[in-house]
Amino acid sequence: MPFNTALTRKLGIKVPVVQGGMQWVGYAELASAVSNAGGLGILTALTQPTPEDLRKEIRRCRTMTKNPFGVNLTLLPALVPPDYGAYARVIIEEGINIVETAGNSPGPVIKQLKAASCIILHKCTSIRHAQSAVKLGVDFLSIDGFECAGHVGESDITNFILLSRARQSLDVPFIASGGFADGQGLAAALSLGAEGINMGTRFMCTVEAPIHQKIKEAIVRAQETDTELVLRRWRNTSRLFANKVAKEAVKVEKESTTGKFEEVAPYVSGKRGRQVFLNGDKDFGVWTAGQVIGLIHDVPSCAELISRIEREAIETLQKSTSLVVEEGQVPASASSTVGKNTNIPGAEVWDVGKSKL
C-alpha cells in the first residue's frame, strides 16, 4: 500500500523515508539500496574529495538504481572551505534534481540549484532558520530535532515541540528528522504534520551501509544515553557517539581555562572519525550518532527495514483510527466479554517491544 504525501508525490518515491546525507557513509552502495527499497537515497557530496569524484559517484549510483536519488551538500565553517559552487555545478550537470542542503549561509548555493530547477530539501534545527530558508525558495524543510546526530544547533528543542511549531508556522511542507527508526515514528511524524521522515543513524545500521560491522554492532548494543554533546562551548554543538575520545573531548572542553579550540581540536578530528568506519575500532575517533541508537536492535537490509517501516506505519495509523468511535457507540471495556473480532485492551503490549520487557 503506497503512501500519498507531498513528499512521495514530488519525489516519485513509494515510502516517505529519506536517507539523510552522512559524511563517510553516503556512498552509492547505501543510497542505491535505499532508493531501490522505495525510499530516497542520498549521496554525500563532501564525502568525495573533489567535484569530479562526486561526478563519478553519481554515475556509479545510476548503474545501481533506476529510482530517484539525491545528493547532500552541507555548508559548514572551515579554515579552507570546499568549492561549494563547483560541487553544485556537478550536481546540476549530472542531472540530479533532488538536493538536500544544510549548514551556514546556504543562499548562494540554493539560488544556483534552484536556477536549475532542483528540488531542495533544506535541513534546519530551529523555526527561525526554517523561516529564513523559506525565503530562499526551498521546496521542503527537514526539521531536525535536538535528538539528532551531528550538528544539533543551539536551541535544544526536541522534535515533539519542533514539529508542532513547524505545523503551526510554516507554509512550506516539511519532513521530520532526528529520532526516527521505525514505522511508529513515521506514523507519529505524519500525525504531527510532517510529510515523511529523514533517518541517518538507523541507515548506518543496515547491511548495505559502507561501515565496519563492529560499528554496526556497537550501535545495536548502545542505549539512548550513549551519546555526548561536544563543542557546545564554541556554539558548534555536535551529538557524537559516547566513546572514549568524545568523553575526553568533553572533559577538555569543560576544564580548559583558555577556551582555545586548539586544545580540543585533536580529539574531534574528522580524519580519525573516518578511520573508525574502516577499522571497526569504535574508540579510535569521534563519530556521529543520534539518541535513536536506543531504538536500534538489528542490522537488516535496506529493503527489509523500509518494508518493515511501511508495514508498521500503516498498522499504527489504522489502529489510531480504530480508537475513535461513533457517538453513542459503547466501546469494549476491560470487563467486557471479548469476542474474536474485539480489541483486547493492552494486549498489543505483548507484540510491540516485547524484547524490552
Side-chain angles (χ1 to χ4, degrees):
M1 182 187 295
F3 283 85
N4 180 21
T5 74
L7 188 75
T8 60
R9 293 192 299 270
K10 186 80 170 179
L11 304 188
I13 60 177
K14 180 184 175 186
V15 185
V17 174
V18 175
Q19 168 240 315
M22 294 174 281
Q23 188 74 344
W24 315 127
V25 183
Y27 292 96
E29 289 81 0
L30 179 59
S32 62
V34 173
S35 290
N36 285 333
L40 182 76
I42 298 278
L43 298 175
T44 306
L46 299 185
T47 289
Q48 302 301 321
T50 70
E52 286 305 310
D53 287 305
L54 174 60
R55 190 189 304 278
K56 294 175 184 176
E57 192 71 1
I58 290 171
R59 293 179 178 180
R60 190 166 75 94
C61 195
R62 280 217 174 92
T63 69
M64 301 168 75
T65 184
K66 301 303 180 185
N67 293 338
F69 65 92
V71 174
N72 165 279
L73 187 55
T74 299
L75 292 76
L76 294 174
L79 293 176
V80 183
D83 188 344
Y84 296 116
Y87 278 97
R89 280 195 301 276
V90 166
I91 291 169
I92 293 166
E93 290 168 0
E94 289 301 311
I96 296 295
N97 66 345
I98 303 170
V99 183
E100 179 188 60
T101 57
N104 300 325
S105 304
V109 164
I110 289 177
K111 183 178 180 180
Q112 182 181 359
L113 294 167
K114 288 300 295 179
S117 300
C118 292
I119 299 168
I120 306 295
L121 290 72
H122 186 69
K123 187 172 287 188
C124 305
T125 58
S126 72
I127 298 301
R128 178 172 62 87
H129 291 148
Q131 290 169 334
S132 297
V134 169
K135 296 176 182 177
L136 298 174
V138 303
D139 299 275
F140 289 89
L141 292 156
S142 185
I143 303 299
D144 215 10
F146 187 56
E147 307 95 326
C148 73
H151 296 278
V152 300
E154 307 301 326
S155 301
D156 299 7
I157 307 297
T158 58
N159 257 328
F160 204 84
I161 301 300
L162 201 56
L163 293 176
S164 290
R165 284 285 291 115
R167 184 186 69 248
Q168 292 173 350
S169 58
L170 299 176
D171 296 326
V172 171
F174 62 92
I175 63 175
S177 179
F180 295 98
D182 52 33
Q184 288 82 1
L186 172 56
L190 295 174
S191 297
L192 287 170
E195 302 291 339
I197 58 174
N198 178 301
M199 301 195 309
T201 306
R202 172 68 268 198
F203 277 122
M204 287 175 62
C205 211
T206 56
V207 171
E208 296 87 352
I211 64 176
H212 201 286
Q213 181 66 21
K214 287 185 178 179
I215 301 306
K216 299 176 187 181
E217 293 169 0
I219 293 173
V220 169
R221 291 193 301 269
Q223 300 297 314
E224 60 274 16
T225 52
D226 291 332
T227 69
E228 288 281 0
L229 294 174
V230 183
L231 303 183
R232 170 137 291 191
R233 186 168 183 171
W234 295 277
R235 298 188 61 79
N236 190 25
T237 309
S238 291
R239 188 179 297 281
L240 307 175
F241 185 82
N243 62 10
K244 294 178 181 178
V245 185
K247 291 177 181 178
E248 186 63 28
V250 171
K251 183 174 184 292
V252 171
E253 182 174 348
K254 290 180 177 178
E255 296 179 357
S256 170
T257 57
T258 67
K260 291 183 177 180
F261 180 76
E262 288 80 357
E263 293 185 37
V264 76
Y267 298 94
V268 294
S269 165
K271 292 181 179 180
R272 291 185 64 85
R274 182 186 186 186
Q275 290 302 311
V276 167
F277 295 151
L278 299 176
N279 64 26
D281 180 357
K282 66 181 176 62
D283 292 310
F284 188 80
V286 295
W287 49 284
T288 62
Q291 291 179 325
V292 75
I293 54 177
L295 304 181
I296 298 172
H297 310 300
D298 62 354
V299 187
S301 69
C302 289
E304 291 168 337
L305 177 61
I306 291 179
S307 176
R308 181 200 304 170
I309 288 173
E310 180 182 26
R311 182 180 67 254
E312 290 173 345
I314 291 170
E315 291 173 353
T316 301
L317 291 168
Q318 289 174 339
K319 177 185 173 183
S320 296
T321 62
S322 73
L323 300 177
V324 180
V325 298
E326 297 291 337
E327 187 174 355
Q329 181 180 345
V330 179
S333 66
S335 59
S336 299
T337 300
V338 177
K340 182 177 180 181
N341 298 315
T342 306
N343 288 336
I344 305 174
E348 64 274 12
V349 171
W350 177 250
D351 283 325
V352 179
K354 60 185 177 182
S355 64
K356 291 290 191 181
L357 295 179

